[in-house]
Structures are given as C-alpha cells and as structure tokens.
Amino acid sequence: MAGRKMLIGGEQNQTNVEDEAHYDFDLFVIGAGSGGVRAARFSANFGAKVGICELPFHPISSEVIGGVGGTCVIRGCVPKKILVYGGAFGGELEDAKSFGWELNEKIDFNWKKLLQKKTDEIIRLNNIYKRLLSNAGVKLYEGEGRIVGPNEVQVTQIDGTKLSYSAKHILIATGSRAQRPNIPGQELAITSDEALSLEEFPKRVVILGGGYISVEFASIWRGMGANVDLCFRKELPLRGFDDEMRAAVARNLEGRGVQVHPRTTLTELVKTDRGVMARTDHGEEIEADVVLFATGRSPNTKRLNLEAVGVELDQTGAVKVDEYSRTSVPTIWAIGDVTNRMNLTPVALMEGTCFAKTVFGGQNIKPDYNYIACAVFSIPLLAVVGLSEEQAIEQANGDILVFTSSFNPMKNTISQRQEKTIMKLVVDAETDKVLGASMCGPDAPEIMQGIAIALKCGATKAQFDSTVGIHPSAAEEFVTMREASRRVPGAGKPKTNL
C-alpha cells in the first residue's frame, strides 16, 4: 500500500507503510446510510482499505434493526416521496373532471398495493447500495458496531458472534431515530417508521408535531381520503421557515380538509374499542385509528460506547465535531444526522465527500452549509434556499427589499381550486444580492434547485430581472418581480411567536 498525504486543517501529515501495516483497515465506517456509504466509496476510490457495518434490513428501525441505505432510502425520503405521489392523486383526480375527464363517482384507493410497490422499491435500492459498496471494494459486515478504542471497532453479528477490527480512522455515520414525547399512553402512538408500513389504511389520524414530517403525512393521508387532525405548539407549522410560507402551508392544509389545531399539544392517549382517544391540553378528545408522533429525532449514539473512548457529545446526544467532521478523538470522525448539524440527506453526502477528500484524497475541504436548498413535500410543495425574510432582517446591516408574487396557477383557474402559489425573493438593498428565495406551490423543489445554483454563484436581483422567463410557467415569476413589496430596515431583530 502506498503512503498517502493527509491534509487536516492546513497541516500535512505524511503517513507511511510501516505506520499503517498493523491496522486491518485504513477506514472503518459504522452506519451504511447515505453519508456512510458515500464516505466509504469515495475513500476506497482514493485507495483506502475500507470496512463498513450496518444493522440487518427491515423497513421499521430499532436499536438492532437498520439496513444498507439508511433512513433516507428505507424509511425516510424515498418511501415518503412515493406516498406523496400517491396522496397527490386524490386532488389530481378531483381537478381532472374540469379538464374533460369523465370519472366515476366511486374511485377506490388500494393502500396495500401502494405499500407493496413502496416496499419493492426500497428493497431494490437496498440491493443497489450493497452493490455500490461491493463495486468500490468496500467490505460490508452485517451487525451492530461499537467503538472500543481510538482505533478499534467491535461488530456483533446477527448470531451474537463478536468480531474486532483495527482501523487507522473510524467514521461514525449512524444517523438518527424518531423520538416520542413522554406522555401517558405514548406506546399507543406510531412514528414515521411505522407510518410508512401500516398494514391497514388509517381513516382517522391525529398527528402531533409541527415539522416537515407532520405536515407531509397530513398531506399524504388527507390526499388519500383520511380525516386528519394536526396538532402543533406554535401558531403556525414549520418553525424556522419563512413566516409567509408557513402561513401559506397552513392555509393549504386547511383548504384540503386537514383539521389544524395550533397552540395545541397532546397530554394523553387512551385505548378505546374504536381505536385511540387523543386528549389535548385544551380538553379536547379526538378519536383516531392512528396517532402519529412527529416530534423530532434523536442522534443514534447510545449504543456506540462513545463516552468511554473519549468522544464528546452535546446535550442532545449528538457527536461534537470540528469543521472537518473530526471528533474530540483525532482518529474518530462523524458525519450526517448523528452530528445534528444540518439534518438533510444531501448534506450528509456532502460531509461524506469532504471527509474522504480531506483524509484520503490529499485535499483540505470542509463542508459549505451556505445556500443549501431544501423542500417540504406537503401538497402543494414548499421549497426554500438561503435566508428567510426574518433571518435576513436579523442578520442584515442595512435595509432588505422583499419581492413577492401570489397568483392562482393556470391549472387552478380551470379546476377552480382555490390554492394560490406564493413566491418570494429577499434582497440586500445596498448590494442587490439575492439572499434568499422561497416558493409554495406545484413543482417548487424542481424550480428551487435551479434558483439555488444562482444564489450559490452570488446572483443579484438585476441578474434575475435580466433573465428571460419560460412562458407559460410558474417559474417565470422569479424573473418578473420588478417592484419590491416592501423595504424593511435590517437588524430589527424581528422575533416571531408564530
């Protein structure tokens, strides 16, 4: 094995054959989700000898169940998006009548058929991820990994056999798991894991939580015909997103028939003959077939033995890392949701790529978290990049110009669906630089990905204005918003209680 140069924090360390000869692996990765697989493959491509371990596959995770592909592929983004497609057809079929489609009044929805299609797809992707590792020369072990020393990993296989491996570097990429609020009867509820694999379609659903998972499942199940009650603590869902977009999402949920309960939490769940009774802090009782807890996720660190080997954790249990993803132990690194930085699959991929390039590729690269676009797959969709209006005002030294457009999409003018698309650009008044973009409406993520490139390149509002739009499209609104809706002084510290 040839010696490699590692660039860490600008310092160059020459490693040699003798120094590495007594290690079983140059890198051992615990966790074969999106970030772990990316880091393993790219490190192997740079010539490293790489091992990786992952828990046995199952759609519903536990402390001893997982699967190659991780949360995103098996019980997150991918199966969720498949169900979003399924839920969206509910509204599409209603609208189709206005476009000349003569549909029978009785249209059946087969939940089990959709779930089987979903399961088939995640099994296919699970196998693809395994092949990607194999083709890169990465050795895959099925079992639970834990760290027993700065350079030693122990893997407990399915039959209980324990295997120990030494590694020059260890990478933690174990992701996160859904958490449950500690209320009486909490065992009667499900999390997003189970929601993606329910055997029977729930006709009555109560959802607790105001984040993207709760909003997405409310859209999914309502689109399929369920009665949905959505409870969250704030005045609006999606805390941290632009307030104007949050209000639009709430209106759209209500417009499609979701019963929204702001400033509401659940205090108790009780088993009944007809299902589960959810009691709120306002004294309401809502009966449901299923209660979904979408109240956040916790880093998967409890069973890794990290504190015993000196890896520091924060108060949430997340692994503390520096800007290069290195932990408090120099030979141990961590990426993805387990570090609780920006918990998105593409971010974990970026962190895995930067890790491999830094440690094995001779490049000194740290993740860049600026202008990362993200989407909420509600129906209709929400997508954002850069700063929200509230963030821009809080961070700005000068004035902020806000450009907005609210309109009824052409499709809705025919179907008579009362659901407006809303777009927004947030601009630095002095430099003309576009600081943020938001959109709530059909195709928002597809449009926002292109906008993200422009913002990453430092685009100005004048450059947006000089771009010729595609007509007729919703996207052209982003290059035709000529007049500012408002000018807001910066550093006003606008704090919302919404």
Side-chain angles (χ1 to χ4, degrees), residues 381-438:
L381 303 142
L382 168 66
V384 303
V385 65
L387 301 180
S388 67
E389 180 178 347
E390 293 74 31
Q391 291 169 333
I393 294 169
E394 186 173 1
Q395 296 179 24
N397 294 319
D399 289 358
I400 295 297
L401 296 176
V402 180
F403 296 81
T404 60
S405 178
S406 176
F407 58 93
N408 217 27
M410 181 186 292
K411 186 178 179 182
N412 289 359
T413 63
I414 303 301
S415 68
Q416 300 300 303
R417 180 175 291 280
Q418 299 303 306
E419 201 169 70
K420 290 187 178 295
T421 287
I422 298 178
M423 296 178 170
K424 175 185 282 191
L425 291 175
V426 179
V427 180
D428 185 304
E430 182 179 354
T431 65
D432 199 43
K433 184 178 180 180
V434 180
L435 303 175
S438 307

Side-chain angles (χ1 to χ4, degrees), residues 334-385:
I335 59 170
D337 287 12
V338 76
T339 65
N340 199 29
R341 285 177 284 184
M342 185 177 285
N343 298 338
L344 298 168
T345 297
V347 173
L349 295 172
M350 170 183 67
E351 291 169 355
T353 300
C354 292
F355 162 81
K357 288 181 175 180
T358 297
V359 179
F360 297 107
Q363 304 171 56
N364 196 22
I365 299 177
K366 54 189 176 185
D368 178 5
Y369 299 95
N370 292 311
Y371 297 111
I372 294 174
C374 66
V376 178
F377 289 91
S378 51
I379 303 172
L381 303 142
L382 168 66
V384 303
V385 65

